[in-house]
Amino acid sequence: MGLYQSGGVGNVFKIARDGGRLDVFNFDLDPTVRDTFWTFAVGSSAMWMVDVAVNQGTLQRLSAVPTFAKVKLVMVLFGIISVIFKVLTTITGIAVYARYADCDPLQSGKALHMDQLVPYYVMDVGGSILGLPGLFIAGVFAAALSTLSTNLLNLATTIYTDFLSGFVPKSTPEKKISYLLKLIVVVVGIVDCCLVFLVAKFGGILQFAISLLGITYGSLLGIFTLGMVFPIANEKGALSGGLAGLIFSGFMVFGNLFYKYHGLLPDHRKPISTQGCNVTTPLLSDNYKSYEGEIPSAFFRVSFWYFSICGCIVTVVVGLLVSFVTRKSDSNVRPELISPVFQFLLPTKQLKKDRSCKDDIPLKRVPCEIVE
């Protein structure tokens, strides 16, 4: 409906191209540029690797699948659905821009924040259709609550298992443990609600969320990379590297958010137009004013897409150095724990596949054995 009202698919993409919204192949290597080909090919890929490969929630779901063959099928279906979802999201953004290319809702005061653009677009395009706005809101809340409930449960379980279980007597009834988990969910939920009020200060929910995730995602990806790629890595290296990556990413992220909160970072948003506005209220012309003050260090101006990969690199480098210094001559690495692509880094031990090492084996069974 929105595409039709904007003149069709061809006209929508023409407007987006003329407005610089389809600048996909921007190969600028400057890491301080917010959106380039490399920010998505490198930075975004690192985040997706965490989400689909080492994320606790993802692994918990995959562990419920009976065989490795079905795990691969699930991942293929997940990839296809994710691509479809991303394409639809991109088309939605292009349609919104094409609709308001000549009169930006933020500038005209019709929307107060960029996160309100899509709801405003739905009301503008389909508000006259009975039930459509409500259906849209219901869909958004259903998707959000589904994801939120799963993440809260995973986080509560992780907090209890890793930090609190050691202080709880073994004789504690499961009912009391259940109450404790529910209490953790409530506390985390309250913290999440408080963070909502900070989103408006940091350039929208997407940038704010990805920035905060970058603090832990980098260390998490780096630790798993150490374990699956480098046989020399040990527990001291993983711990040291993880802490170093966490501190490095945290310093970078919070520094970036600090400068952004105080308006000390230049605005990377693309130009907009108000030539087609027909409003009686004054335009908010200073919303997109260019920054003319002293620019902070490039370290704090790095695109938020790179936060995860930067933390990962620091984790791997520090982890390898510490592992090399603290290595033991008689260390024994199980080959099945190393990625097949990097098993050439192993010592003389060779990996021999069992004849039963097929895709239909149960996940809990170790498919391979070590040959001395």
Side-chain angles (χ1 to χ4, degrees):
M1 181 183 299
L3 296 176
Y4 174 77
Q5 294 185 10
S6 298
V9 177
N11 187 57
V12 167
F13 276 86
K14 180 180 181 301
I15 295 174
R17 183 176 62 254
D18 295 341
R21 265 57 181 183
L22 297 181
D23 190 14
V24 179
F25 299 103
N26 178 8
F27 294 99
D28 191 348
L29 294 176
D30 186 358
T32 63
V33 179
R34 170 175 164 160
D35 299 317
T36 65
F37 175 85
W38 303 112
T39 58
F40 295 106
V42 178
S44 181
S45 296
M47 297 201 64
W48 272 99
M49 288 177 63
V50 177
D51 284 331
V52 303
V54 300
N55 182 272
Q56 191 265 349
T58 302
L59 296 180
Q60 180 177 334
R61 291 176 175 86
L62 293 179
S63 298
V65 181
T67 64
F68 185 61
K70 292 186 178 180
V71 168
K72 293 194 291 185
L73 177 61
V74 168
M75 295 306 298
V76 170
L77 294 177
F78 173 78
I80 295 174
I81 295 175
S82 296
V83 170
I84 295 175
F85 176 77
K86 294 300 179 181
V87 170
L88 293 177
T89 304
T90 303
I91 293 176
T92 301
I94 293 175
V96 172
Y97 172 75
R99 176 77 174 183
Y100 307 113
D102 294 331
C103 183
D104 181 60
L106 296 176
Q107 289 281 65
S108 61
K110 296 178 181 179
L112 300 179
H113 198 265
M114 64 178 64
D115 295 328
Q116 298 176 350
L117 289 178
V118 174
Y120 174 77
Y121 174 76
V122 172
M123 292 299 300
D124 184 26
V125 173
S128 59
I129 301 178
L130 183 64
L132 182 60
L135 183 62
F136 169 78
I137 296 297
V140 171
F141 272 92
L145 292 176
S146 173
T147 303
L148 185 61
S149 62
T150 302
N151 290 337
L152 287 176
L153 178 60
N154 292 336
L155 186 57
T157 305
T158 302
I159 292 175
Y160 173 78
T161 303
D162 294 342
F163 300 101
L164 302 180
S165 60
F167 302 96
V168 178
K170 295 183 179 180
S171 59
T172 304
E174 292 187 2
K175 189 174 183 179
K176 290 186 177 180
I177 296 177
S178 176
Y179 288 148
L180 179 59
L181 291 174
K182 293 177 181 178
L183 178 61
I184 297 174
V185 170
V186 172
V187 173
V188 174
I190 293 175
V191 174
D192 289 344
C193 292
C194 294
L195 291 176
V196 171
F197 298 99
L198 298 177
V199 173
K201 300 292 184 179
F202 299 110
I205 184 65
L206 177 66
Q207 180 173 347
F208 182 66
I210 292 178
S211 297
L212 291 183
L213 288 175
I215 299 176
T216 56
Y217 270 28
S219 298
L220 187 61
L221 181 60
I223 291 174
F224 273 86
T225 302
L226 280 172
M228 294 188 296
V229 174
F230 302 101
I232 193 177
N234 56 31
E235 63 276 8
K236 294 180 180 179
L239 179 60
S240 302
L243 290 176
L246 192 66
I247 295 173
F248 180 87
S249 298
F251 186 65
M252 176 184 288
V253 170
F254 286 118
N256 178 277
L257 294 178
F258 172 81
Y259 286 118
K260 182 174 290 294
Y261 180 83
H262 290 86
L264 300 177
L265 289 180
D267 198 337
H268 293 287
R269 284 176 285 188
K270 293 182 178 294
I272 47 84
S273 174
T274 57
Q275 296 179 357
C277 292
N278 184 18
V279 294
T280 57
T281 57
L283 297 179
L284 305 177
S285 58
D286 59 341
N287 273 10
Y288 289 82
K289 63 181 180 181
S290 59
Y291 176 73
E292 299 177 353
E294 182 180 355
I295 299 179
S297 169
F299 179 80
F300 298 110
R301 291 186 287 113
V302 172
S303 173
F304 62 90
W305 293 107
Y306 288 125
F307 290 157
S308 294
I309 192 64
C310 289
C312 176
I313 293 174
V314 172
T315 300
V316 172
V317 172
V318 174
L320 287 177
L321 291 176
V322 174
S323 297
F324 179 78
V325 174
T326 61
R327 70 187 187 281
K328 298 179 180 180
S329 58
D330 58 345
S331 60
N332 186 19
V333 180
R334 294 169 55 188
E336 67 268 24
L337 299 180
I338 303 298
S339 171
V341 180
F342 296 94
Q343 287 187 1
F344 67 91
L345 298 175
L346 289 166
T348 56
K349 292 182 179 181
Q350 301 294 325
L351 181 66
K352 178 182 178 182
K353 291 187 176 181
D354 190 356
R355 293 182 179 179
S356 62
C357 188
K358 300 178 181 179
D359 286 344
D360 58 349
I361 59 172
L363 288 182
K364 294 183 179 180
R365 178 179 176 183
V366 179
C368 305
E369 61 183 5
I370 304 174
V371 178
E372 300 291 344

